[in-house]
Amino acid sequence: MELLYRVFLLCFVSLARGLYGPQTDVVQLTANNFRSQVMDSDSVWLIEFFAPWCGHCKALAPEWIKVASALKGVVKVGAVDMDDQQNQQLGGQYGIRGFPTIKVFGANKNSPSDYNGARTAQGIIDSGLSAAKSMVNQRLSGGGKSGSGRGGGGGGKQGNKEDVVELTDANFEKEVLNSKDLVLVEFFAPWCGHCQRLAPEWAKAATELKGKVKVCALDATAHTVTAGRYQIQGYPTIKVFAAGAKDSSSAETYEGGRTASDIVQFALDRLAESVEPPEVLEIVNSEMGEKYKKKLWGWIWTEAGAQEKLEDAIGLGGFGYPAMVAVNARKMKYATLRGPFDNIGIDEFLRAVSVGRGATAPIKGAGLPTVEERIPWDGKDGELPEEEDIDLSDVDLDEDEGDKKDEL
C-alpha cells in the first residue's frame, strides 16, 4: 500500500510540474530538442515559456491547449518548462524574465516576436494565423527560410558572411579608426547564444550595406586588447563609429533592434546625417557609370537632345522638358517624374523611389546605351544668335499705309 502511494504521488507531481501532458497537442520543448524542433523547422511556432508553480501559467494552460488543438497542422504550438535548469539557459537567450512569456517564431527564427495580446485562445490563434500568412506572403515574393548558424548563408536575402569585415587587435586601427566610412562593429563571443542568433542578421545587414557602410565583427574573447579599450562587458555589443575622422573615444553604443532591417535603417539614417550634398555632373562620356557605381545615388544631367539614345532607352522621346528620371542600373528599370516639376513634386517622387513605390518600366534594350562623347558645358549662359541687319531703305512705309487708308 505504501509503495502504491509513492508511485501515485510521483505521477501526480510530474503532471503538476509539466502542465501539458502527452494527451495534449502542445509540444514539450527542451534545450535539447529546441533547435531540431523549432530553429530548423519551416513552420511557424507559438511557444510559451512557463513555470509550473506560476498562477498565471496555470490559468493560461486550458487556453493554450485549445490553441494547440485548433492550430494543429497549421501552426506549431509548444511550451518550455523554465523550472528545468537546462531550459533556463535556453530562456535566457530570449530574455525571458517573467511567466508566462509567449514568443512567435515566424519566417525568421532568429528574430522571434513577443505576443502581447489577449491571453485567450482566440487572441493567440489570430496571432498565429497572422504570422503564418506573413510567412506565406514572404515565400510568394521570393523570401526564403532564415539560417540559424553564425555568419548567415551564402548570399542574397540571407546575407553573405564574407561581407562582414573580420577585425583583430592588429587591424582594428586600419579598418575602423583610419576609415572615413561609417563603421558598425559587433563585439561577440563564439559561445554566446545571443551572438549566434544575431550572426545571420548581421551578415544580411552587411550585404545590404555593402559599399555604403562598413560592417565589422571582432571576437572579444580572442582580441582582448581592443575589447578592453572599449570596456566590452556583455555580448553582443555593437559600437558605431561615425563617418569621417575618428579617434578611439568616438564610438557610441548601438541600442536599437537586432534585426537586419533595424540595423540597415539605423545605418542609412545615420549615414544621411553625415553625407555631403551630392555632386551633380553633366553626362559627357561613358565614365559616369563607373564613377557612381559605389555611391548611394548618382546625380547626373544632360542637355535635351544631347544624348538621344539614352533618352530613347528611358522613354523621354517627345516627353517634354525639363524631365527627371530615376534609373536602377542593376534591375534595368526606370521611373519618371510625372508630377509637378517643383520642390514638392520632386520630393514626393524621390521618396516614392527610395521605398520602391511608383510605376517603373524596363529600360529599352535591357541595357544602358553608349553615351555620346560631348564637350562639357562651360557654365556660361547661352547666347542668342546675332540678328542680321535688314536694309529697309527701299521700302516706302508711308506709301503702303496710304494705300491701306484708300482701300478703307
Side-chain angles (χ1 to χ4, degrees):
M1 183 68 178
E2 182 180 357
L3 178 60
L4 290 175
Y5 174 77
R6 287 178 180 173
V7 172
F8 172 76
L9 180 62
L10 288 173
C11 292
F12 177 80
V13 171
S14 176
L15 289 175
R17 286 182 59 84
L19 289 185
Y20 306 107
Q23 74 278 9
T24 73
D25 293 310
V26 178
V27 180
Q28 298 184 52
L29 298 170
T30 68
N32 293 327
N33 69 5
F34 196 85
R35 176 167 293 280
S36 61
Q37 290 274 14
V38 179
M39 303 302 288
D40 295 337
S41 168
D42 289 324
S43 302
V44 172
W45 277 85
L46 298 176
I47 300 176
E48 176 200 5
F49 293 83
F50 73 95
W53 44 261
C54 163
H56 293 294
C57 300
K58 293 177 182 178
L60 176 63
E63 297 298 297
W64 199 246
I65 292 171
K66 290 179 185 178
V67 170
S69 298
L71 292 177
K72 187 175 182 179
V74 180
V75 173
K76 299 279 190 179
V77 179
V80 179
D81 184 351
M82 292 296 292
D83 245 14
D84 185 291
Q85 190 170 1
Q86 288 184 328
N87 293 345
Q88 289 173 8
Q89 185 176 1
L90 173 65
Q93 295 181 18
Y94 298 101
I96 306 301
R97 296 183 177 87
F99 310 116
T101 294
I102 299 173
K103 295 277 188 179
V104 182
F105 289 74
N108 185 354
K109 297 295 191 298
N110 297 289
S111 184
S113 59
D114 290 318
Y115 173 77
N116 295 311
R119 297 297 174 90
T120 63
Q122 189 59 58
I124 299 168
I125 288 170
D126 290 343
S127 178
L129 292 176
S130 176
K133 181 179 179 180
S134 177
M135 184 167 71
V136 169
N137 289 335
Q138 180 175 332
R139 290 175 178 173
L140 188 62
S141 62
K145 175 182 171 184
S146 292
S148 57
R150 175 155 190 90
K157 289 183 175 292
Q158 297 299 319
N160 188 341
K161 65 181 180 181
E162 300 299 327
D163 293 328
V164 179
V165 179
E166 183 178 352
L167 298 177
T168 66
D169 285 334
N171 71 1
F172 189 88
E173 184 171 351
K174 173 187 174 183
E175 295 290 351
V176 179
L177 299 183
N178 292 343
S179 173
K180 298 298 183 182
D181 297 324
L182 174 66
V183 183
L184 305 182
V185 179
E186 176 205 3
F187 294 83
F188 71 93
W191 45 261
C192 164
H194 292 295
C195 301
Q196 293 169 6
R197 289 194 293 118
L198 174 63
E201 299 296 305
W202 196 246
K204 182 177 179 181
T207 298
E208 293 190 26
L209 292 170
K210 187 175 182 180
K212 306 170 187 175
V213 176
K214 186 180 288 188
V215 178
C216 311
L218 181 138
D219 182 349
T221 65
H223 305 282
T224 56
V225 174
T226 304
R229 180 190 305 172
Y230 293 99
Q231 301 179 335
I232 305 302
Q233 299 176 343
Y235 310 114
T237 294
I238 298 173
K239 294 287 186 179
V240 182
F241 295 80
K246 304 176 181 63
D247 57 50
S248 58
S249 62
S250 63
E252 63 175 289
T253 302
Y254 170 74
E255 302 288 358
R258 297 301 174 92
T259 65
S261 60
D262 290 330
I263 297 164
V264 169
Q265 189 60 57
F266 166 83
L268 293 179
D269 288 345
R270 179 58 57 88
L271 186 63
E273 296 172 2
S274 60
V275 296
E276 297 179 354
E279 185 180 13
V280 183
L281 297 179
E282 182 183 3
I283 305 175
V284 294
N285 54 47
S286 59
E287 295 177 358
M288 288 293 107
E290 185 67 23
K291 178 178 177 63
Y292 284 106
K293 185 168 63 176
K294 293 186 178 181
K295 297 291 184 182
L296 292 177
W297 281 15
W299 298 82
I300 49 182
W301 69 275
T302 182
E303 178 187 354
Q307 300 290 342
E308 293 182 354
K309 293 180 180 179
L310 177 61
E311 291 186 28
D312 180 58
I314 55 179
L316 285 185
F319 185 80
Y321 303 98
M324 174 177 280
V325 177
V327 177
N328 187 323
R330 181 172 59 85
K331 295 183 178 180
M332 286 297 141
K333 291 185 177 182
Y334 69 91
T336 307
L337 170 62
R338 301 290 183 182
F341 208 90
D342 56 19
N343 285 344
I344 296 176
I346 293 172
D347 179 56
E348 290 179 350
F349 170 67
L350 294 178
R351 282 194 290 113
V353 169
S354 68
V355 296
R357 298 202 315 267
T360 61
I363 294 175
K364 187 176 179 180
L368 291 175
T370 303
V371 173
E372 300 291 335
E373 192 78 20
R374 300 281 298 180
I375 298 175
W377 178 47
D378 59 9
K380 298 179 181 179
D381 291 336
E383 297 181 359
L384 293 174
E386 294 185 6
E387 295 183 2
E388 296 182 7
D389 292 333
I390 301 176
D391 185 2
L392 300 178
S393 60
D394 294 335
V395 179
D396 189 348
L397 296 177
D398 292 337
E399 181 180 345
D400 290 343
E401 290 178 1
D403 292 342
K404 290 180 181 178
K405 288 179 181 178
D406 293 339
E407 291 175 2
L408 291 174

